[in-house]
Amino acid sequence: MPVARSERLLTLLQTLRRYRRPVTGTVLAQETGVSLRTLYRDIASLQAQGAMIEGEAGIGYVLKPGFMLPPMMFSEEELEALVLGSRWVARAAEPRLAGAGADALAKIVAVLPADMREMVDSATLFVGRKRQDEDRADVSAIRKAIRLERVLELHYGDEQGRISRRRVWPFALGYFEHVRIIMAWCELRQDFRHFRTDRIIDMAVHETRYPRRRTVLLKEWRETQDVPLET
């Protein structure tokens, strides 16, 4: 069955996004399942529509970062994923992040063709009820501390009810079904530790930037905890 041209162009764009270095037309044609001649025509079509594809036949092609997909380029599954993701964030995240998720989806829906807007409005994928555990800490402040690589000082209670003061270097925040977990390097333990946000009694964000990069800490944490990369 012939593949629709719009779907073929989307597949080509998504394939190009996987490569950071120029990739030959032959490889692209093989991965997208078209002839080399069709591949060249499709690249020319995308370039005419504004896609920042650089290169030429015999050398290779690369898609420059920052290109925005036109609205028609969302598949039904991608739209369902966006709706489901937005609904999950609204249920699981703190109000500020939940609102940001809803705003992002609204911006996408605003530029969709009418038939795709109807698909979003009638999406039938739902998530469960909102989590019941309430955070004492300002989770949006924690997310900001992670982005800025700032030290957090926590007044923290463990599962046995023991209270301790911790200076930590937060580098990630995990959203689970009933809890949120800060992944951090603990100065007291000199090791990676995990802290539940609902057990933080009080918290202070220091202006001090912790001495190691967040990306390095995340990489080491993945290795020591045997956590696979997100796909």
Side-chain angles (χ1 to χ4, degrees):
M1 182 177 179
V3 178
R5 181 171 177 273
S6 60
E7 185 177 344
R8 197 176 70 232
L9 295 179
L10 172 60
T11 300
L12 175 56
L13 277 173
Q14 291 174 327
T15 302
L16 281 165
R17 284 183 181 277
R18 295 202 303 266
Y19 291 94
R20 296 185 179 182
R21 298 181 181 276
V23 56
T24 66
T26 300
V27 171
L28 290 172
Q30 290 174 345
E31 291 200 21
T32 55
V34 300
S35 67
L36 193 56
R37 183 176 180 181
T38 299
L39 183 280
Y40 290 146
R41 286 203 306 266
D42 287 348
I43 286 179
S45 296
L46 288 172
Q47 289 173 328
Q49 294 177 35
M52 294 179 287
I53 301 173
E54 295 184 344
E56 58 184 271
I59 297 177
Y61 298 91
V62 64
L63 179 66
K64 294 183 65 177
F67 174 66
M68 302 298 292
L69 292 176
M72 70 183 68
M73 288 300 185
F74 287 110
S75 69
E76 291 183 13
E77 286 79 10
E78 288 169 338
L79 285 175
E80 287 182 336
L82 288 170
V83 172
L84 184 62
S86 176
R87 288 174 176 173
W88 188 90
V89 169
R91 181 190 69 83
E94 70 277 9
R96 188 166 181 175
L97 192 59
D103 290 346
L105 182 62
K107 289 178 182 178
I108 293 171
V109 172
V111 297
L112 289 175
D115 59 335
M116 288 191 172
R117 286 200 300 272
E118 185 177 348
M119 286 170 53
V120 171
D121 292 337
S122 61
T124 55
L125 302 179
F126 298 95
V127 294
R129 291 182 298 175
K130 186 177 178 65
R131 63 192 289 273
Q132 297 301 311
D133 298 331
E134 295 297 330
D135 294 312
R136 301 179 186 178
D138 183 350
V139 180
S140 63
I142 295 172
R143 289 190 288 105
K144 185 176 181 180
I146 291 171
R147 290 196 301 270
L148 298 179
E149 301 179 342
R150 294 296 189 259
V151 172
L152 284 181
E153 187 166 342
L154 308 178
H155 190 196
Y156 188 78
D158 65 16
E159 59 184 5
Q160 281 80 39
R162 296 171 299 196
I163 309 299
S164 63
R165 286 279 183 183
R166 304 290 186 97
R167 278 175 56 94
V168 302
W169 309 346
F171 57 84
L173 184 62
Y175 287 78
F176 298 91
E177 188 62 25
H178 298 293
V179 298
R180 303 183 185 112
I181 304 291
I182 302 172
M183 292 73 161
W185 176 266
C186 178
E187 292 184 0
L188 177 64
R189 302 302 183 192
Q190 285 295 294
D191 199 357
F192 294 112
R193 287 292 186 270
H194 303 133
F195 301 92
R196 287 178 48 158
T197 56
D198 60 330
R199 290 180 179 165
I200 296 175
I201 298 169
D202 59 55
M203 176 188 80
V205 181
H206 289 251
E207 288 301 314
T208 307
R209 180 173 179 173
Y210 52 73
R212 304 185 65 195
R213 297 311 306 267
R214 168 169 47 91
T215 52
V216 174
L217 290 170
L218 180 59
K219 181 175 183 295
E220 291 182 3
W221 173 78
R222 286 187 184 280
E223 292 171 350
T224 58
Q225 303 292 317
D226 196 25
V227 177
L229 290 171
E230 297 285 346
T231 58

